Structure formats: structure tokens, C-alpha cells
Amino acid sequence: MNFREEKMWRPAFFAGVVSALLAFSVFETAAQEFEAAQKNFVSGNYEACLRSCEKADPEGYRREEWQILHAQTLLMVGRYPEAELVVSNALARSVNSLRLRVLGYDTANASGSTWRARRRLQEINELLNSRPWAYRDPVDMVALGRAALLMGMDARAVLERFYGTAQKAEPNLRDAYLASGELALAKHDYAIAAKTYSEALKRFPDDADMHHGLARAYEPNARRRMVELLESALERNTNHVPSMLLLADHLVDAEEYVEAEKLLARALKVNPWHPEAWAYRAVLAHLRNDPAAETEARDKALRFWSTNPAVDHLIGRKLSQNYRFAEGAARQRQALEFDSEFLPARIQLAEDLLRLGDEGEGWELAEDVHKRDGYDVTAYNLVTLRGTMKKFATLTNEHFILRMAPREAALYGDRALALLERARDRLTKKYGIELEQPTIVEIFPEQKDFGVRTFGMPHNPGFLGVCFGRVVTANSPSSQGATPSNWEAVLWHEFCHVVTLQLTRNKMPRWLSEGISVYEEIQANPAWGQRMNPRYREMVLGEDLTPVSELSAAFLSPKSQFHVQFAYYQSYLVVDFLIARFGFDKLKAILRDLGEGEYINDVIPKHTAPMEQIETEFAAFARARAEALGPGLDWKRPERGPGARSRAGRSGDDPMPVTRSDTNDLKTALLNVLSPALTNLVKPATPPASGRAGSTAADTPLPRLNYWTLLEEAERLVGQEKWEEAKTALQTLIELCPDQSGPNNAYALLAAVHRGLKETEMERAALEKWAASDADALEAYQRLMELGQGSGQWQVVADNADRFLAVQPLLPQPYRFLARASEELGETSQAINAYQKVLLLDPADPADVHYRLARLLRPEDARSARRHVLMALEEAPRFRDAHRLLLELAQVLPASTNSPSSAASPP
């Protein structure tokens, strides 16, 4: 290059460099502007984001990222026609954009142009067929996955092949996490959704969408965690409408309608035309029995997209979650009229119909959804369950259809039907209702099957039974491990729901429904239901009592499982209070008005007293009930000292500490207790010296014994087999607090003490006290049967065998005791029935059982007796008594039944 050429080249070179630098600067500025706009979108500053989109450099705005952000922001604030215009204009310039077309499907539907949405699906299909190679980068893979779902591709394949591939290629791609999580939630795969959003939050900790997604994953079984995550989302984006709506959803379930309405109003300030917000308002209006407001809200939800199936689907789903299954099913049918392929409505309708007892159509719909969508977890669970239930035995009479596992049906199905009939006879008369259709009761030996039938998922959040109105589902004793609950009490409780729910047309709050059922348990059997206990006493006198007007919320977000149990107990206390204070007829009047659609907090004052007065009087009633438990005891929990032990029983007691000084105080206090039970065992303390003139020993108050210290000391003494000292402590405890229940109660410990001292009659008395107050006391029932048999008190044996079978009907021992007692009491038919059930449980000595059956059957059914004696000889060929019985039967049976081929060989 010569000098002249170099002089000519240099200015051109520097001009090119400057131009490139300027272009890079412009590009960098545009990128920064876009990033700022995107941050405003994620943080909920939608107006600022829109301003950025509108002011963006025309050259930069032509990039589809700007156009997509602009349209998404317009959708967030409810400007649906404008969002559709942005997409339409962008597509005119970017004819091959897959992402714009997928977004355009949403904007077209949202603005009511459903025909355009369908056309865009066709265009997407044409693009994928003509240019498949063009959509391979991670962002397009996410859009491709969404398009594939719209066109009916298998959801699980989309999750793995498109969203999973995009995440691997670009681990920080926000849209990939959102798409994966949303798909898992749509298919009820909450475990995958939780995993996806948890991973996303590690990369996007300040993204409200991720917090909201994880909250939705926790919604079915961890409401407290859900609420925490929603609050976290709203801290990061105060305008995050999805989080507001999910919180409102939660408040509707808690029957906190005023607070739910406040959240909906807040959401509608962000997006005045949000279909879901208006759908929730329609739900609230329906629950308030305001049809005009319901229609208005629904019309606004459908303002732009008049055939949006999601609106009626949401309304129906919420009505069903509030036990309005018939109204909910009607809404799902409306959604399917708008779009017969809308699978969420199909599976929800299937569940509604199954809960209404319309099983034929319900099961068919579940099968149909499963065929169309193999990934929908609820549909898969229901179809699998149907296969299991086809093997169930069905027992029927005029009033009930009872389904159980065949073995269980043979053991206690007849008893269950008899119990249900007693409940029906008593409760329908008491509440003045005629049930028009048979009640369906299904008892499941596997908790996961109960969970699927009840909730659509195998998870069971601690329920023993559930009633939907006409249909009851329950857990079998076999599903509850070593400590089953009294299944008879459960069925009585659930059938009471059948009565009250049908009486009110499913329009009663949960707390009242549960409270009445617990109340009726106790009316039927004082050992059933719940009673005041030390932990409940603490909660009532502490800060755990919920206002009556907010009581349904106590079931929804409990601090612990024990708080759920306390919600049941408090609900019972409110019912007990209302009946005691105002009479049973007032309760029936409340139920009648609820059936007409009136609101509980309006109906209670209408028939009783102003709600403020109810709250005050009930709180006093509950406190009095709590203070009546062991009024002479000190209930303060001792401070934990070094080396202290703790106890935590099944009744829910918190860990309780005992220190050396506590036990010293106990010994001193025991010596100062003036108790008739201890007069001959404990020497009174010497009265302290008087500190004032004229005072006497009677003027000096005796120290109060501490309940927790006394119980802990008694347990320690029992553990060390110091029977006499333990007896003194336990007798004192029982005298001061005779209301005892649960596995570690004082009566159970005292029975063990008497057994250790060989005081059989005293042991029997303690066991009877325990058994009379605890419906699940299998140990007490077992021991009482043993003692009764040993002393020939056969009625005691029969009574406690009956108690045992009400808790655990799947063991042979209680049937053996019942059979022997029935023999001795001359109850032949009951003895035969009991021995037959022993045989179903593979007894260790079947020969003896067959022999006893043969003896019992001989007077009325010699042929059956002969069959059983032959089976006894088959088990024990040298059984001489059986041979003698067979010879005796040969004298009374026709010769044809005594052929050599049917006789046993001689010994």
C-alpha cells in the first residue's frame, strides 16, 4: 500500500469504527431499556412498562421481544383489544414468528375474536410443517411446547421434550420454568409443580410469578405455607393479580367473604376486566344468595370473551368446594356447552357427579378424560380407583348402599348397616327430614384409595370420613395402623352430615356441620365425640379460641393437626352452647334458614341474640367448661430443668418438664392434701405456726397440686413399679380431675397399678371408668374381657367384645370372646355368627371353632353341623369329641347324607 492509498483508507476506516461503536452503543442502550421495561413488568409496575414500550425506538420495537412484552402488559391490565392490535400489527411484519402467534392465540380469545384464535392455530401448524428447522432455540422451544399442547399433543411429552429441553439448553430461561410449572399444575401434578417452582426460585428469588406458582403447588395440602408464599409474592409485586385471586379463593373457603371482596376489589383496580376476578365475585354473590349480583358479575367476566369456558368452570369449582355440588355440576355443563373439549370442566364434572351419587356418568367422564389426557393425575387416579372398587362387595337395603372390601364386608358389613339404620331412624326423626334417595357409604381399606375417592388425590390430610350430602366415604380400621379410631362413631358422625347437609341443601358452614355431628356423637354415646382435656383447657383459656363468626377459617389454615382437632371441639362447644342457651328448636330454625340461602352470621342473630352477644356469652361458656376441669389443681406448666423428662401422648399434650424440685414439692403437697381417698394412706402435715393472733390451721390455704407434675410423677412411679406410691398419686389426681381419657390417662395407669398389686376388683373398676370415657380404649376392652371370662361374668365379656369390635373388627380375639360369652348367655344365633367370623380370620385352632359351631348348629341345622364337624376332623383327625358328635349326627340325618364318601376316616 502506498502513502496516497493509506491516506485515503484511514478516514474510511475510522469512520467505520465510529459507526460500529455508535451502533453498538445504540444496541446496548436499547437492550438496557428493554431490561428495565421487563423488570417493571415482573415487579408489577405495568404503567411504567407500557410507557417504555410506547416510547421505544421504532427500530428496536420491531424486535418481537418488545412487541410480546407490550401485549403481555396490556393483557395484565385488561386492555384486551389493544393487546390483540399489538400482536396483529407485529404479525404483519413478522410473518414467521411462532412466539407471536402463540401469544396471539391468547390475545384473540381474550378480546373475543375466537375465530382469529382458531385461525392462528392453523397458521402455527402450517409454520411447523413448512419450517420445523427454524424453531430450535430455547425460547422457541417453549413456544413450540405451548403450541403442541393447544393442538392436542401428549402433555407429559411436551413437558419432557420441549420444556425440559429448553431448561437444559438455557438454565436461566424464565419462561421455561413458568411453562413447566403451569403445565404440572393444570394436570394436578403438584409434586412436579413444587419441584419446578422451587428450582425457579433459586434463580429468580424476586419473581412474584414463581412465588405464586409454588403457592398453588402447596394449595391442596399446605394452606399455611401457601398463604406465606402469596404474601411473599405480593411483597415483590403489589399488583400481582394471580396472587390476590388465590388469596381471595382461600378466603372464600374460609367463609371470610368481606375480606375476599376487598382483595377482589384490589385486583380489579389493576385489571378492571379480569375474568377470574369477576367469576369470584359471582361465586360470592351465589353464596350470599344474591342472584342478580351473580348474573351481573358473570356477565362482566364474559364481557370480551362471551364463550370463555374457564369462567363457568371456576364458578362451578368454587361452588363444589363449598359443597354446592349440584350447582357446581350445572356450571361445568355450561362450560362444556361453550367448549366441549375443555378438559378441566370434564374432570371437575366427573368428580361432582361421583360426589352426588350419579356414578354412571361420573365414571364415564373420568375414563373419557383419561383417554384424552394420560397425564391428568386426577383422571388417572379415578380410573385406577374404579378398577379397585369393581372388586368391592355391595350390601344394600331400602335406605343404604354400602360398599366395602369383600373380606371386611363379611366381617362387619352387617354391623355397619345396622348402625347406619339406627342413625337414620334417630336423626331423621330428630331433625324432621325425609331422605328421598338411598345413602351411599364407601369404606376403603387403603388410605390412598379413600384420598382419591374423596379428594382426587391419594393424599389424605387426616380425615377419617367425609360426607358430600348423599355420599359418604370413610377409612376402614385396616387403614389406620395399630391405633384405629372407633369406626362406629365415624359412621354416626358422617351420617349426621347426611341429615344436616340435605336439610340445608348443602348451604351450611363447615363449623356448624362439624359441630352438630360431634354433638350427636356424644348424644348417641357419651364415650364418642370429644371432651375437654388438659390441652383443650389451655387453648380455651389461652389465645386459641376462634370467634364464632370466623370459625370455619380454623379448619383451613391450622397451626398444627392438633389445632384441627380443636376446631372440631370448639365447633361442638358452640352447638352445645346454642342448644343449652336457646333450645334445640332454635338450632333447627337456623338450619331451615340456611337451606333458604341465608348467611350464617345473619341467621344466628335472627333466632338467638346479636352476634356480639353470642361471641361474649360463648367465650364465657367455653371458659367455664375449661375451668371446670380439675378446678382444684394448679395447671401452670413447670419450667424445664436440667435432665428433665417430657411426655407427649396421643391426646396431643405438649412436652411437659419435671424437675427434682417439682417432685419434692409433689411429695410435700401430697402430705397436705385433705382427701377422703388418702385419709388412711397419707399423714396430714403439721399445721404451720401462726403468723397472726387468733389464726388457726384452717385459715392457712393448702397448696394446690400441679397437674403436670403429679401426672409425670405418677408415670415415673408406675414405670418403676412402685405401686403403692403410684396409687396414692393417681387416686389424688383422679379425685381432683375425674374427667380422664386417652391412652395415658390416670385410670389406665391406676388399672396397671391395681394389676401390679393383684387388686383385681379395683383394677376392673378403673378399667370400666377408662372404657366408659374413651371410645378407642382397646387395651381396656381387652383386659375387661379377660377378667370377665376368668370370673364368669359373661355379660361383661359380651359388652366389651362389642366395644372392641366398634374399634377393630378385623382381629379374631373379640369374636372368640363374644362367641364364648354368647354361648354362656344362651344367645345361640349371636354365638354362631361370631364363630363364623372367627373362621374368616384364619384362627390358630380352626378345629375347635368348627366343633363349637357344629354343636351350636346341631339343634336347628344338622346338615350344616355335620359339615363343620367334618371340617374339624379334617383339621384334627384324632379329635374324639368331634367323632362322638359325628356319630350322634348320624342318628338324626337321612342315610343319604351318611355315605362313606362323605364320612371322615376313624382315628
Side-chain angles (χ1 to χ4, degrees), residues 15 104 129 178 209 263 377 386 457 616 692 729 749 771 780 819 870 875:
N129 286 328
L178 290 175
D209 282 333
L263 270 173
V377 176
R386 188 184 189 189
M457 294 288 152
T616 301
R692 57 184 174 84
L749 294 170
L870 288 172
E875 294 287 343

Side-chain angles (χ1 to χ4, degrees), residues 439-442 466-468 470-474 491 494-495 498:
T439 301
I440 298 170
V441 180
E442 297 169 348
V466 171
C467 174
F468 299 112
R470 185 189 158 217
V471 176
V472 170
T473 60
L491 288 188
E494 298 305 329
F495 185 78
V498 172

Side-chain angles (χ1 to χ4, degrees), residues 642-720:
R645 296 183 298 121
S646 66
R647 68 181 296 274
R650 199 177 77 176
S651 61
D653 292 332
D654 283 339
M656 188 278 297
V658 172
T659 64
R660 183 178 299 277
S661 61
D662 291 332
T663 52
N664 290 334
D665 291 343
L666 170 68
K667 293 172 184 175
T668 302
L670 278 171
L671 293 173
N672 286 281
V673 173
L674 300 179
S675 163
L678 300 177
T679 301
N680 299 322
L681 297 173
V682 181
K683 181 179 179 181
T686 303
S690 170
R692 57 184 174 84
S695 66
T696 66
D699 296 325
T700 304
L702 293 171
R704 283 192 171 197
L705 291 174
N706 183 277
Y707 171 84
W708 307 105
T709 305
L710 184 55
L711 181 58
E712 180 76 8
E713 177 66 1
E715 288 180 333
R716 184 184 67 80
L717 292 169
V718 169
Q720 295 175 355

Side-chain angles (χ1 to χ4, degrees), residues 200-217:
L201 278 171
K202 296 174 184 177
R203 300 177 184 277
F204 311 100
D206 294 322
D207 194 318
D209 282 333
M210 304 305 178
H211 288 271
H212 167 259
L214 187 56
R216 287 179 63 194

Side-chain angles (χ1 to χ4, degrees), residues 431 489 492-494 496-497 511-526 528-531 536 555 565 567-573 575-576:
Y431 286 87
W492 195 282
H493 179 107
E494 298 305 329
C496 186
H497 284 313
W511 74 261
L512 183 58
S513 183
E514 298 295 357
I516 292 174
S517 283
V518 175
Y519 176 85
E520 290 298 346
E521 280 187 70
I522 295 170
Q523 295 298 302
N525 185 334
W528 290 355
Q530 296 194 60
R531 63 188 68 248
Y536 286 169
F555 291 91
Q565 296 304 314
Y568 280 92
Y569 180 69
Q570 185 184 339
S571 299
Y572 152 71
L573 277 185
V575 171
D576 196 22

Side-chain angles (χ1 to χ4, degrees), residues 13 32 49 57 85 131 164 200 209 236 281 286 301 351 361 484 496 516 561 604 619 644 700 710 759 772 826 869 901:
F13 172 78
Q32 290 171 349
C49 183
D57 178 75
L85 182 61
R131 310 176 75 249
D209 282 333
R236 289 158 173 79
R281 277 196 164 172
H286 187 105
E351 291 191 90
E361 186 182 0
C496 186
I516 292 174
Q561 188 60 37
I604 289 179
T700 304
L710 184 55
E759 297 170 342
V869 87
S901 62

Side-chain angles (χ1 to χ4, degrees), residues 633 669-670 673 675 677-678 682 705 710 726-737:
L633 287 164
L670 278 171
V673 173
S675 163
L678 300 177
V682 181
L705 291 174
L710 184 55
K727 182 163 72 170
T728 300
L730 289 165
Q731 288 174 333
T732 303
L733 181 59
I734 288 170
E735 181 176 356
L736 294 173
C737 185

